[in-house]
Amino acid sequence: MKLVKAYTLFIFGAMSALPVCAQTVTQTIGVDAAVQMALENNLSLKEEEITLNGYKRSNAYSWNSISPSLTAGATYSKSVEPGETEIGTSKLYGRVSVSITPALYTEIKTAKINYENGKLSYETAVKTVELNVRKAFYKLLYDADNVKLQEQNLESAEKQYQQNLSKYNQGGMSRLDVLSAQVSVENQKPNVLSAKTTLENDMASFKQTLGISQDVNLVLNGTLDDILLIGDISIDDIEAQSATLKALENKLSLAQTAVLASRFNAYGPTITGSYEASRSYKTGSKDGTNGGAISASVSIPLDGILPWSSSAQNVSSAKDEVKSLELQIEDEKTTLRVNTESYLRSIAQSKAAIASLKASADLAKETYDMTLTAYQRGSKDLLSLQTALDGLLEAQVNLKSAAYSLISSILDLENELGIPFGTLSLGKVAAE
């Protein structure tokens, strides 16, 4: 009996603790904080950082080809002549040697450029993560606004249905009007469900990007209404820092260095110097003799003077790569201008659409209010009222969609120009 009682108390206590354990944690976050969190938890960035550290080490020790080569050793030998006693000799020695080639310069320069490329690659990865997070953040704001507008539309439809039902019960309205109002309610419910599903799916992906548990109730600190206040965009005084263009310019520097390296391999001399110190002992003798040797040599390859040699061909191939990259850079500059103008047109189009949609939304709201009043007085039918409500919802949703398109185009333009996010909208969008 005591065992049953104890078991019952245990179950009761466990069930009592469940609501405490199931409490949802709510976290409010702004766009900048979301970016920071994503950067801290992104595994791809951590891999990029490891690669960058490798380039950094290579750059720091790129001179190591002239590091002295040190050797230490010992030998023992003996000679035997007919009729003579065996004589053995032991020898201890140490040797240091250094070899210097003109390629050292290109090795150091190549390591430096590779390190710069590594930093650029890391910065590009960071900007890609930031771009995706910012776009996702504003997309969630649009999703949330869409849910709110769809719910308001459903609430209005339900309110109208209840009013029609009340009038029908009082004998002041036909059954057909009640059914029509009920149909409007049922038709709106799938729209609300679809909007909520989109919001939930996008929020789940956003949490995953930020490294936040799916159990956290994430509240976004921001509004698309701030985007509607963004003024004119001008890039006249902004210096483009395209990551793609920078990468091509670094490749060009590497190719130019490769030309110099191939020339050094074809014509450059190699200078080698060494010094050896030794001490020798004969068998049976405690006294040793010191010795030493210094050597120096210079070698100059001659293959480069032969135009058909592999060395000469390597020089020509390296020059071709330089010419190819110079053409690619010119093409990328053109692409940068074209893309920039395209984004500017998209921004101008979004701003023009916002101005028109603001007016449309105001007119739609006024139309709905007037139609509702007329319907309540009996001078407008239910279809006219529902049409006015649909028009109001469409105008409001389109306005929010235009705001999202505007900020997306601005973010894309900032990314294309390689400038910090917020440069083109700083001070025009409310801070978090």
Side-chain angles (χ1 to χ4, degrees):
M1 189 68 181
K2 291 182 178 179
L3 180 61
V4 174
K5 184 177 181 181
Y7 181 77
T8 303
L9 290 174
F10 173 77
I11 295 297
F12 180 80
M15 293 180 65
S16 299
L18 283 177
V20 177
C21 298
Q23 285 182 349
T24 302
V25 177
T26 299
Q27 181 176 354
T28 302
I29 192 170
V31 62
D32 291 333
V35 169
Q36 187 62 34
M37 187 176 295
L39 294 179
E40 291 174 354
N41 297 326
N42 191 278
L43 297 180
S44 297
L45 287 182
K46 293 179 180 179
E47 293 178 3
E48 287 281 350
E49 191 173 2
I50 292 173
T51 303
L52 177 59
N53 288 335
Y55 285 127
K56 184 177 181 180
R57 287 194 303 272
S58 298
N59 180 55
Y61 301 113
S62 56
W63 51 269
N64 60 8
S65 64
I66 61 169
S67 178
S69 175
L70 304 176
T71 306
T75 62
Y76 175 79
S77 63
K78 65 179 181 179
S79 61
V80 180
E81 295 293 337
E84 295 184 1
T85 305
E86 294 183 2
I87 299 176
T89 302
S90 57
K91 179 181 179 181
L92 301 175
Y93 67 90
R95 182 182 303 113
V96 58
S97 61
V98 177
S99 181
I100 301 176
T101 68
L104 173 63
Y105 170 76
T106 55
E107 290 173 0
I108 294 175
K109 189 172 182 180
T110 298
K112 181 180 180 181
I113 297 174
N114 283 334
Y115 179 43
E116 294 298 323
N117 263 339
K119 290 194 293 185
L120 179 61
S121 178
Y122 180 76
E123 292 169 1
T124 300
V126 168
K127 286 188 70 69
T128 299
V129 171
E130 183 173 357
L131 175 65
N132 293 336
V133 170
R134 288 182 180 275
K135 278 190 169 184
F137 183 91
Y138 290 114
K139 176 61 164 56
L140 284 171
L141 291 181
Y142 167 74
D143 291 343
D145 283 346
N146 188 37
V147 169
K148 184 178 179 180
L149 292 171
Q150 297 293 346
E151 288 179 337
Q152 288 176 350
N153 196 37
L154 175 59
E155 182 181 352
S156 297
E158 288 176 338
K159 184 183 296 185
Q160 192 60 52
Y161 166 68
Q162 293 297 331
Q163 291 177 353
N164 287 5
L165 181 61
S166 177
K167 290 181 180 180
Y168 169 75
N169 291 332
Q170 296 173 6
M173 182 165 288
S174 68
R175 176 66 175 167
L176 179 60
D177 284 343
V178 175
L179 292 176
S180 297
Q182 189 174 9
V183 168
S184 298
V185 171
E186 297 304 322
N187 286 340
Q188 181 58 23
K189 287 181 179 179
N191 296 334
V192 174
L193 180 60
S194 176
K196 286 184 176 180
T197 301
T198 299
L199 174 60
E200 291 171 358
N201 290 340
D202 290 347
M203 181 63 77
S205 299
F206 189 66
K207 290 178 182 178
Q208 183 179 9
T209 300
L210 268 57
I212 297 178
S213 171
Q214 295 294 326
D215 296 330
V216 174
N217 178 30
L218 197 61
V219 179
L220 303 185
N221 182 13
T223 171
L224 286 178
D225 291 338
D226 296 328
I227 308 301
L228 301 176
L229 303 176
I230 293 178
D232 295 333
I233 300 298
S234 175
I235 61 171
D236 295 335
D237 56 345
I238 292 177
E239 181 180 356
Q241 305 171 42
S242 168
T244 304
L245 188 57
K246 281 185 179 179
L248 284 174
E249 289 172 346
N250 283 344
K251 282 186 178 180
L252 177 60
S253 297
L254 282 174
Q256 292 170 337
T257 303
V259 171
L260 189 58
S262 61
R263 285 173 173 168
F264 284 154
N265 290 332
Y267 314 112
T270 299
I271 302 174
T272 303
S274 66
Y275 172 74
E276 179 180 294
S278 63
R279 187 170 180 82
S280 302
Y281 298 89
K282 291 185 177 180
T283 303
S285 174
K286 295 181 179 180
D287 298 326
T289 58
N290 295 325
I294 298 176
S295 66
S297 64
V298 178
S299 62
I300 301 176
L302 299 177
D303 290 348
I305 64 176
L306 304 175
W308 57 82
S309 67
S310 60
S311 297
Q313 291 301 310
N314 289 338
V315 173
S316 299
S317 297
K319 289 180 178 179
D320 292 340
E321 181 66 15
V322 169
K323 295 177 181 178
S324 175
L325 285 168
E326 288 174 343
L327 294 175
Q328 291 180 44
I329 287 175
E330 290 303 315
D331 183 60
E332 180 58 30
K333 288 180 179 178
T334 301
T335 300
L336 177 60
R337 288 193 296 270
V338 171
N339 290 344
T340 299
E341 292 171 359
S342 176
Y343 287 128
L344 287 173
R345 284 192 292 268
S346 296
I347 291 171
Q349 179 182 355
S350 294
K351 288 184 65 61
I354 286 173
S356 176
L357 289 170
K358 279 182 179 179
S360 177
D362 292 339
L363 290 173
K365 180 65 169 62
E366 184 178 358
T367 300
Y368 172 72
D369 291 340
M370 294 176 64
T371 304
L372 177 60
T373 300
Y375 175 76
Q376 292 173 341
R377 293 175 178 175
S379 58
K380 288 288 184 179
D381 57 15
L382 183 61
L383 178 60
S384 299
L385 179 62
Q386 188 57 50
T387 300
L389 182 59
D390 291 342
L392 175 59
L393 174 65
E394 182 180 4
Q396 291 172 330
V397 171
N398 288 342
L399 180 59
K400 298 294 184 179
S401 178
Y404 173 67
S405 296
L406 173 61
I407 192 61
S408 295
S409 296
I410 291 176
L411 290 172
D412 285 333
L413 177 57
E414 290 172 335
N415 185 61
E416 182 73 20
L417 296 175
I419 59 180
F421 292 109
T423 300
L424 299 178
S425 57
L426 191 61
K428 299 175 182 177
V429 177
E432 71 175 79

